[in-house]
């Protein structure tokens, strides 16, 4: 995250900031005034929901934000997974976005990379339904390695 950002949180809504879990007991607005990596609770993907290649890639990056101690292992898993996905997908929008995701992760903008991946979910679903993209079983081990 770059610059100042105001976030409104509901009571008991979690936010993950630089690996810390914060849960206010009442509605609150917080202002993040410096560069920080964060993830809102409604953007957290549960392991069992990492059911497509892009969702698994998202899960790996999510680990980097939520668990700084596990970030090096997650980064290595990302580096191994991305080339497999680039070789497997044919949709140009997905390929272009995955290259952008790689650049963002390299620049330390994991939050931006997560946002870019979330934007691809509908494109991936359409491609998977059309049978033009890799099947799930090719990527089953990816999310497991990030847990």
């Amino acid at each position: 995250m770059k610059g100042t950002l105001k976030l409104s949180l509901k009571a008991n809504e979690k936010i993950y900031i630089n690996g810390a879990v914060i849960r206010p007991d009442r509605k609150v607005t917080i202002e993040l005034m410096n560069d920080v990596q964060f993830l809102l609770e409604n953007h957290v993907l549960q392991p069992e929901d990492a059911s497509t290649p892009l969702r698994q890639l998202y899960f790996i990056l999510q680990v980097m934000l939520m668990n700084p101690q596990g970030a090096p292992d997650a980064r290595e898993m990302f580096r191994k997974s991305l080339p497999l996905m680039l070789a497997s997908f044919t949709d140009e929008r997905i390929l272009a976005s995955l290259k952008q995701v790689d650049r963002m992760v390299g620049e330390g903008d994991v939050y931006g990379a997560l946002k870019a991946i979330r934007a691809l979910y509908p494109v991936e679903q359409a491609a998977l339904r059309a049978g033009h993209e890799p099947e799930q079983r090719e990527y089953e081990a990816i999310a497991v390695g990030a847990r």
Side-chain angles (χ1 to χ4, degrees), residues 120-134:
L120 288 175
Y121 287 168
V123 179
E124 179 188 43
Q125 281 307 113
L128 290 171
R129 277 194 303 272
H132 296 140
E133 301 302 343

Side-chain angles (χ1 to χ4, degrees), residues 54-122:
L54 289 180
R55 287 177 187 269
Q56 290 180 0
L57 191 65
Y58 184 97
F59 185 83
I60 292 167
L61 293 181
Q62 168 184 292
V63 169
M64 292 171 65
L65 286 184
M66 294 175 66
N67 180 11
Q69 297 84 357
D73 290 339
R75 185 174 296 278
E76 181 62 25
M77 184 62 68
F78 172 78
R79 292 282 162 230
K80 290 178 179 177
S81 301
L82 188 67
L84 295 172
M85 290 191 188
L86 288 170
S88 299
F89 280 105
T90 58
D91 186 287
E92 289 300 323
R93 293 170 294 181
I94 293 174
L95 292 172
S97 289
L98 285 176
K99 290 175 185 172
Q100 182 182 15
V101 163
D102 188 31
R103 180 187 53 76
M104 285 188 258
V105 170
E107 293 172 355
D109 185 11
V110 177
Y111 179 79
L114 289 169
K115 189 175 175 182
I117 293 171
R118 278 195 312 272
L120 288 175
Y121 287 168

Side-chain angles (χ1 to χ4, degrees), residues 29-78:
T29 299
I30 60 172
E31 187 173 3
L32 303 176
M33 300 184 66
N34 61 347
D35 292 345
V36 63
Q37 298 284 319
F38 72 94
L39 192 59
L40 296 171
E41 182 176 18
N42 64 341
H43 290 150
V44 173
L45 186 68
Q46 297 304 314
E48 61 271 12
D49 296 326
S51 57
T52 68
L54 289 180
R55 287 177 187 269
Q56 290 180 0
L57 191 65
Y58 184 97
F59 185 83
I60 292 167
L61 293 181
Q62 168 184 292
V63 169
M64 292 171 65
L65 286 184
M66 294 175 66
N67 180 11
Q69 297 84 357
D73 290 339
R75 185 174 296 278
E76 181 62 25
M77 184 62 68
F78 172 78

